[in-house]
Amino acid sequence: MNVLSILVFLPLAAAAALLIPAVGDRAARGAFVAVTVGEVALAALAWAKYDSPAAGELALQEQARWIPGVGASYHVGVDGLSLPLVAMTTLVFLACAVFALREQRRARLQAALFLFLESVSLGLFVSADLILFFVFFDLSIVAMYFSISGWGHGNASRSALKFFLYTFLGSLALLLGFVGLYAASDPHTFDMVELAAHPPLQGHGLAGGLVLAALLLGLAVKTPTFPFHTWLPPAHSDAPAIGSAVLAGVLLKMGTYGFVRIAMPMLPDAWRDWAWVVIAVGIISVLWGALVAFAQTDLKRMIAYTSVNHMGYVVLAVGAAGVLADGSDEARSVAVSGAVTQMVSHGLLTAALFLLAGTMFERTGTYDLDAYGGLAANAPRYAALFTVAAFGSLGLPALSGFIAEFQIFAGSIAVVPVSAIAVLGILITAALFLRALQQVFSGPIAGLSVEFADVRTREWAPVVMLLGVSVFIGVLPRTLLDVIEPGAAVLVHLVGR
C-alpha cells in the first residue's frame, strides 16, 4: 500500500473507529484533529516524493484488480493537476477539525462523518479509474447531505434534500457519460490513463458530443455553473460552518477537476467543438454570480454566490484551452494552469470566509449584514482576518487569488479576446466585498456588534493557517506552479490532438 492509499483510507479507518459508542465526544474531537494533522503530513510526504511523470502517466501509482469483468480496477495516482488539490483538501479538513473543537451536538458522529468525507474527497482526486471516481463522487453527496441535515440550521432538511436531488441527478448524467466512454473503447475499459491516451470517440462527432453533453451536465451541477447553481445558496445558508467550508472548498472542485481530468483529455474533438459554449457559460457564471452576490444582505448567501463567480473563471479558462490557433499552446497552457491554481486558491480563501461566517452565527444567530456596524472596534482580530480573506477573494496581489486570476485572464484573452468581458466580475466582486466590509466593520458600534466577542484560538488558528498558505502562494507561486505547469502543458497537448 503506497502513500496515496494510506492517505485515502486512514480517515476512513478512523471514522469506523469513532462509530464505537464507547468513544466520548472529547476523544472524538481530539481524534478528528490528530487524523487530519496526519493527513497533512502524508500529503507533504506525497509532495516530497512527487516527480513529474512522463506525458500521459501518473506518479505514485498503485493498481489492483477490482472488477475485472468490466475492466475496472483500483487504480490511483497523481500528477500536477491533482496533487495540489489533494494538499488543499487536507488543509481544509484540518482547519475544520480545529474549528469544531467546541462542537457539542453529536461531536463523535460529526467527526466520523467528516473523516469519511475527507476519505472520499481524497479518493476522488487520486482516482485513475472512472468507476472508482464515480463511487467517491456519489459518496461525497451522501456525506454532505447528512452534514447539512444533521448539523445545519434554518430549513436544513429542505436544503439538504434539494442539494441531494440536484447533485444526484448530475451524478446519473455523469454515469451515462462514463458508460458511453466504456462502450466506445476497444478493448472496453474504465481506466482513465488508457482512455486519455487513446480517446475512444475521436472522430465520432455526434456520439462524442452526446457523451460530452452528459459529462458536462453532471460536472456543471457539481461545480456549479449557471444555470445549475440554484441548489448552492440554500445549502450554504443552512449548513454548519465546517459543512460550508468543505462544500465550497473541496466538493465544488470535484466538478471543475472532472473537466481537466476526464472531459478534456478523453473527448478532445468534442471539447474543441463545444469550447465556445463552455466559454459562454463561464463568462455568464462570472458575471451572474458577482451581480447576484452584490444584491445579497445575508453574508453566507453572498459568499455562496461568489463561488459561482469564481468557478466561472475556471470554466472560462478550460473553455479557452479548447480553442486552437497558431502559436496558442503557451497561452492555453497558462489558462489551464490558472484554472488549477484558482481551484486551490478558492478552496483556501472561501473555506476561511465560511469559517468566519460560522463564528458570526455562533455569536449572534444571524448572517444579516444590516444587523451589524462598527464591529472592528470590538473584534479587531476578526475584522483583520475577514478583510484579508475578502481581499484575497477579490484578487489582491500577494495572495493566491491574484496569481490564479492573472493566469486565467492572460491565457484566455490571448486566445479568446472576448474573455475580457469577464474582468467586470472582478470589479463587481471588489465592490460587494468592500461594501460588506464598510457596512459591518466601520463606523460607530451598532446593533449586534455591541456584544460581539473577538475570535478565540480555535476560531482564528484555522483561518490563519488557510490565509497563510494563500499568502505563501501569492508571494512564492513557483512552489505550486512548478507542479501544475507540466500537467497543464500535457493537457493542452492532449486537447490539441
Side-chain angles (χ1 to χ4, degrees), residues 61-110:
Q61 287 193 87
E62 183 177 2
Q63 189 168 12
R65 288 166 59 87
W66 183 34
I67 315 175
V70 295
S73 63
Y74 172 77
H75 188 186
V76 296
V78 290
D79 63 3
L81 305 178
S82 55
L83 182 59
L85 295 175
V86 168
M88 180 271 292
T89 298
T90 62
L91 290 171
V92 170
F93 274 94
L94 172 57
C96 291
V98 174
F99 189 87
L101 278 173
R102 295 292 298 275
E103 179 63 54
Q104 300 298 320
R105 294 184 299 164
R106 303 182 302 281
R108 176 176 62 87
L109 293 178
Q110 186 187 62

Side-chain angles (χ1 to χ4, degrees), residues 33-58:
V33 174
V35 173
T36 51
V37 168
E39 289 291 279
V40 172
L42 287 170
L45 176 61
W47 196 288
K49 296 178 66 173
Y50 177 78
D51 190 19
S52 293
E57 297 295 327
L58 297 174

Side-chain angles (χ1 to χ4, degrees), residues 47 337-338 341 403 407 476-486:
W47 196 288
S337 179
T341 306
I403 302 299
Q407 290 183 100
L476 298 171
R478 284 256 56 93
T479 305
L480 178 63
L481 298 182
D482 283 344
V483 173
I484 294 175
E485 286 175 351

Side-chain angles (χ1 to χ4, degrees), residues 125 137 163 167 219-224 231-232 236 244-259 303-304 306-308 311 343 346 350 354:
F125 291 131
F137 188 94
F163 160 80
T167 51
L219 298 172
V221 171
K222 190 78 166 184
T223 298
W231 61 265
L232 185 66
H236 274 308
S244 288
V246 170
L247 177 58
V250 178
L251 266 63
L252 300 191
K253 311 307 176 297
M254 295 178 179
T256 49
Y257 177 69
F259 292 142
I303 300 170
T306 63
S307 290
V308 178
M311 292 298 95
M343 293 185 218
H346 179 266
T350 306
F354 276 121

Side-chain angles (χ1 to χ4, degrees), residues 1-9 58-66 73-78 126-129 132 191 193:
M1 183 177 286
N2 73 6
V3 64
L4 296 184
S5 293
I6 298 172
L7 192 69
V8 171
F9 292 111
L58 297 174
L60 306 177
Q61 287 193 87
E62 183 177 2
Q63 189 168 12
R65 288 166 59 87
W66 183 34
S73 63
Y74 172 77
H75 188 186
V76 296
V78 290
V126 303
S127 291
D129 182 275
L132 195 62
D191 190 85
V193 175

Side-chain angles (χ1 to χ4, degrees), residues 368-420:
D368 185 9
L369 296 174
D370 295 330
Y372 301 88
L375 185 56
N378 265 3
R381 292 193 300 273
Y382 182 84
L385 291 174
F386 196 96
T387 300
V388 173
F391 276 109
S393 188
L394 61 86
L396 188 75
L399 287 148
S400 57
F402 172 77
I403 302 299
E405 291 173 11
F406 178 79
Q407 290 183 100
I408 287 171
F409 283 112
S412 299
I413 294 174
V415 179
V416 184
V418 74
S419 300

Side-chain angles (χ1 to χ4, degrees), residues 222-419:
K222 190 78 166 184
T223 298
T225 65
F226 177 89
F228 306 108
H229 65 286
T230 55
W231 61 265
L232 185 66
H236 274 308
S237 296
D238 297 333
I242 62 174
S244 288
V246 170
L247 177 58
V250 178
L251 266 63
L252 300 191
K253 311 307 176 297
M254 295 178 179
T256 49
Y257 177 69
F259 292 142
V260 299
R261 174 60 67 216
I262 299 170
M264 295 174 71
M266 297 181 194
L267 294 160
D269 277 355
W271 188 266
R272 294 195 299 270
D273 292 341
W274 284 58
W276 282 99
V277 175
V278 176
I279 291 168
V281 170
I283 292 174
I284 294 170
S285 296
V286 166
L287 298 178
W288 177 265
L291 286 169
V292 178
F294 189 80
Q296 302 304 309
T297 58
D298 181 289
L299 176 61
K300 251 197 168 184
R301 291 181 72 89
M302 185 189 79
I303 300 170
Y305 277 111
T306 63
S307 290
V308 178
N309 163 265
H310 285 91
M311 292 298 95
Y313 294 129
V314 176
V315 175
L316 168 62
V318 296
V323 178
L324 303 188
D326 292 340
S328 67
D329 282 6
E330 183 176 355
R332 291 162 54 228
S333 181
V334 169
V336 172
S337 179
V340 179
T341 306
Q342 175 74 336
M343 293 185 218
V344 175
S345 174
H346 179 266
L348 298 170
L349 293 169
T350 306
L353 283 169
F354 276 121
L355 292 180
L356 290 169
T359 298
M360 177 181 282
F361 188 83
E362 286 184 1
R363 298 283 194 281
T364 64
T366 182
Y367 302 112
D368 185 9
L369 296 174
D370 295 330
Y372 301 88
L375 185 56
N378 265 3
R381 292 193 300 273
Y382 182 84
L385 291 174
F386 196 96
T387 300
V388 173
F391 276 109
S393 188
L394 61 86
L396 188 75
L399 287 148
S400 57
F402 172 77
I403 302 299
E405 291 173 11
F406 178 79
Q407 290 183 100
I408 287 171
F409 283 112
S412 299
I413 294 174
V415 179
V416 184
V418 74
S419 300

